[in-house]
Amino acid sequence: MRNKVLLTLLLVVTSTVALAQEISLSGTVKDSLGVGVDMANVIAINTATQGLESYGITNHAGLFKLKLKTGEQYTVKVSYLGFKPESFTFTAGENDAVKDIVLQEQAAQLDEVDVTYEMPVSVKGDTIVYDTDAFVSGTEKKLKDVLENLPGIEINDDGQIEVEGKTVSKVMVEGKDFFDGDSKLAVENIPANALSKVEVLRNFNEVSQMKGLTNDDDNVALNIKLKEGKKNFWFGELTAGYGPDDRYLAHPKLFYYSPKYSINIITDLNNIGEVPFTRNDYRNFTGGFRNLNSRGGSSISTGADGLGLSSAQNNRANDIDTKFAAANFSYAPMEGLDLSGFGIYSYTGTILKSEGVTSYIASNDVESTTSNTDQTIHLGLAKLSAKYQPNDSFQLDYDALLKQSDDTEEVNVLSISSITDEIAEVKKQKPLSVNQNLNIYYTLSDKNIFAVEAQYLYQDEDPFYEAIRNEFAFVDIFPVDENQELYNINQAKQVVTNKVDAKVDYYRVLGSKSNINLTLGTTQSNQNFNSNIFQILDNEDVLNMNGNDFGNDVAFHVSDVYAGLHYKVISGIFTFNPGVTLHQFNVKNEQLGSVVKDNLTSLLPDVYINAQLKKSENLRFNYQVTRSFTDVSNFAQGYVLNNYNSLYSGNRDLESALNHNVSLNFFSFNMFNFTNIFANVAYTKRIDALKSGVNIVGINRVSSTINSNFDDESFTANGKYERTFGKIKASVQGNLGWSTTNNLVDDEQRTSNSLTQNYTGALSTNFKNAPNLELGYRYTVNNYENGDLETTFYTSRPYARFDASFLKNFIFTVDYDYYNYTDKEDTITNTYSFLESNLTYQKKDSRWEYGIKGTNLLNTTTLNRDSTNELYFSTQAYFVQPRYVLFSVKYDI
């Protein structure tokens, strides 16, 4: 703590000395009518050195402020698109000065003005352009390191890029897609030394004809501009490393960009716990596909990951071995035609070890577990895209995305409760999905625009489960042979899905500020679910469990035919976009020799209102009523084994759930003083929600799904305030989530409440010629209330990041996190920390870099996680990877 205080004082003294020799030049930029010009560029060029000394961007009132060194002479230039640029000479004296500037309009202006490209940050309409050289200190290694220095941009805990609190939906390099559907691969692999500019594209829409017709406020894309020496040439890195205990790393990556085509190749092999592509990344990797009926209000689930495989906690499992390869291409064989695609393969072998305590609410039983998990995951994705746009009036897009995995998980569990049992579980699956998308956009005239969008999903899942144990929890339900040394229970399942989404949109443009949108569409979902349970006897004979309770053969169909009407109008600072969609739903499930049908007509309204308070400040309101349908697995009435102590039976009489969703978003980005503020609150009320009906016996449960007569509610709020003071950036942010749910436990209604709170405060520096430090503090409170029981878990997490360049050729970085994990009763206390460090040496103008890297240098052994639901409270301690030291060599291509 003492060292942290000394470092903070050193930073304050350094910045104070620097500021003592500066004065402020401020003023207002106005147009010929005396109105302040928002977001005009103002720069000061040192007359003697011809270097950029200071820059600023005017606020909504036209106010600017520059910091200048006393005694120096400057050329101050002012520019804004649509106005003639102005300049004047200024000599900085001993006192602050004020200077107002008037810009004169001009009918035409060159696309680029010399002022614009010299600006570290410039704004052109919905695009913010960052000159990355103005924000780097030389210690940055990849795109992630650069983005974290840019005001208004951050990398979240999942490795995704966020701008103004919104997740970036697309990353491009030189206007070409970089693994469409994910931003993590870009931030972790694009070299920092290849960057020239970063363009933030707000209100992004890939279809030029649709821009302004739809609400694109939440759509943000990033375009990376490369340095001139990186175009039309291969560039990249070849990295290899080795350390004690046979730890290794191999990370070659190559890139090529030209106006006609581009190629990106990324590989990564290591056993030090650096996972470039996790199962969560795979599951969330959309490939750019989107929900066609997002405004229509209906949601039809197709299910996913029926086995519920374990996941590494923050990639800090006990041991991880990774092999990864990915390639991305784009090619323009002719004008108006663009082809692109990618292929990804990932192998991850993971060893998980954990110890946990689970307190069951209904039975008051406590279960202590020790688990050892050996997991092997093979993931594969491939996408091919084609875009044909012969003219401004017509565009055709086609996409095909293939996803397949091969997953195996072996788990050994020692369970101690009222009985002691050793369980060996095996989970296997090879799910396959193919998603195809066809879109056509046609502009008949300035007043009439058509959009046809269609999507087809084929999905085949085959999860298999096996449990071998001394005691079988459900002998009273299953006709098992009890005269066996061990119980070996197996279950095979298969779910095949065919789903078609199609719609036609017609936009009637009523004027420059209003349009009407008519929609006709349909969703047709068909699923077939089969399962059977059997016992393997000691003599390896198979005992099939026959009967309707122990097998499933279900055909499930949901039809949604809808028509929608939306009206969009701009009035002053407000944009109003109300609408309504009429749905005709037809649902049926066929099993047990009979058919259950549910036909429903539903009118679902939605309202969108945007108040554009300033150019970079708005307040948005959304209200939408949605109707959601679950997938076939919840309708199948035959028993399904979820794990060793959980048995499930579906409910064929389930109905859809109705959801009321309300959200309010505020965003403000002030380029004048680099203040970034965003806040969001959201409330959801679920009517006839699908909930659990559970019967508990000790630590074992038999559950089903019901439509709850009690309304479930949830509320989330999050916000962030960030401001830059010279070379110091300060930020505070908070996240709050509250939910109340109602379930049926032992035939009695039980209400569960959950309140989670996360708060973060941080200070960081961005010096170009001095070491940089980030100090932060995170505090998490998880409060769970279930029936008459309540518990609370606390996590305090101070952290520090440090990087420095010294002796011209060395770069040193340190990353430290400290955790203090406790519960309200102080029955659980765990203090642990993680320290990582990296030292590299690269001589100027040399392609070779040498490094030494250490992970978990404090040799921490465990970390903690907690969770709850309507049945139990649980806390787990996970054993993490030990200390690793790696020596590496990198060659820049």
Side-chain angles (χ1 to χ4, degrees), residues 8-20:
T8 304
L9 290 174
L10 178 62
L11 290 172
V12 173
V13 170
T14 302
S15 59
T16 302
V17 172
L19 292 173

Side-chain angles (χ1 to χ4, degrees), residues 568-584:
K568 182 177 180 180
V569 61
I570 300 174
S571 178
I573 66 170
F574 292 98
T575 299
F576 299 94
N577 192 191
V580 65
T581 306
L582 178 65
H583 293 262
Q584 177 60 50

Side-chain angles (χ1 to χ4, degrees), residues 125 149 279 305 394 497 568 596 617 682 700 728 866:
N149 292 335
R279 288 191 71 253
D305 192 12
F394 181 83
T497 301
K568 182 177 180 180
V596 174
E617 184 174 285
N700 305 305
I728 298 177
D866 55 74

Side-chain angles (χ1 to χ4, degrees), residues 162-321:
E162 288 187 354
V163 176
E164 304 166 3
K166 309 164 190 171
T167 302
V168 169
S169 58
K170 180 184 287 288
V171 175
M172 298 174 286
V173 178
E174 292 293 332
K176 304 179 188 299
D177 289 349
F178 191 91
F179 293 95
D180 190 19
D182 179 79
S183 61
K184 181 179 176 181
L185 288 178
V187 301
E188 294 290 349
N189 291 284
I190 296 178
N193 60 12
L195 307 182
S196 171
K197 290 179 173 59
V198 173
E199 297 178 341
V200 176
L201 311 176
R202 299 178 294 175
N203 302 314
F204 179 73
N205 196 316
E206 294 184 79
V207 184
S208 58
Q209 298 135 286
M210 305 300 293
K211 191 169 181 63
L213 298 178
T214 55
N215 300 316
D216 302 320
D217 303 84
D218 291 328
N219 297 342
V220 182
L222 234 61
N223 183 41
I224 308 300
K225 304 290 287 186
L226 301 175
K227 293 180 178 177
E228 287 302 321
K230 303 299 182 181
K231 300 176 185 177
N232 299 308
F233 294 97
W234 284 97
F235 69 94
E237 303 170 350
L238 302 177
T239 304
Y242 188 79
D245 302 319
D246 291 327
R247 297 294 147 181
Y248 64 86
L249 168 69
H251 190 19
K253 47 189 177 183
L254 295 170
F255 309 94
Y256 183 87
Y257 283 89
S258 71
K260 194 171 184 178
Y261 66 90
S262 68
I263 300 173
N264 307 290
I265 301 172
I266 302 170
T267 60
D268 193 337
L269 296 85
N270 75 81
N271 62 354
I272 60 173
E274 295 184 353
V275 183
F277 198 72
T278 67
R279 288 191 71 253
N280 284 337
D281 297 331
Y282 171 81
R283 186 166 49 247
N284 297 328
F285 204 99
T286 63
F289 283 75
R290 55 193 180 276
N291 181 8
L292 292 189
N293 192 30
S294 58
R295 285 206 303 173
S298 63
S299 172
I300 300 173
S301 175
T302 57
D305 192 12
L307 285 177
L309 298 180
S310 305
S311 60
Q313 300 297 310
N314 292 341
N315 295 333
R316 289 171 175 159
N318 193 244
D319 188 75
I320 302 179
D321 184 19

Side-chain angles (χ1 to χ4, degrees), residues 493-496 527-531 552-556 632-633 636 638 640:
K493 294 191 294 184
Q494 184 175 31
V495 183
V496 178
Q527 292 187 289
N528 292 283
F529 178 93
N530 291 276
S531 71
N552 285 290
D553 185 3
V554 186
F556 180 62
V632 64
S633 61
V640 172

Side-chain angles (χ1 to χ4, degrees), residues 376-379 404-408 429-431:
T376 302
I377 303 293
H378 298 266
L379 305 173
Q404 184 168 27
S405 69
D406 185 354
D407 311 327
T408 301
Q429 63 179 5
K430 291 184 179 180

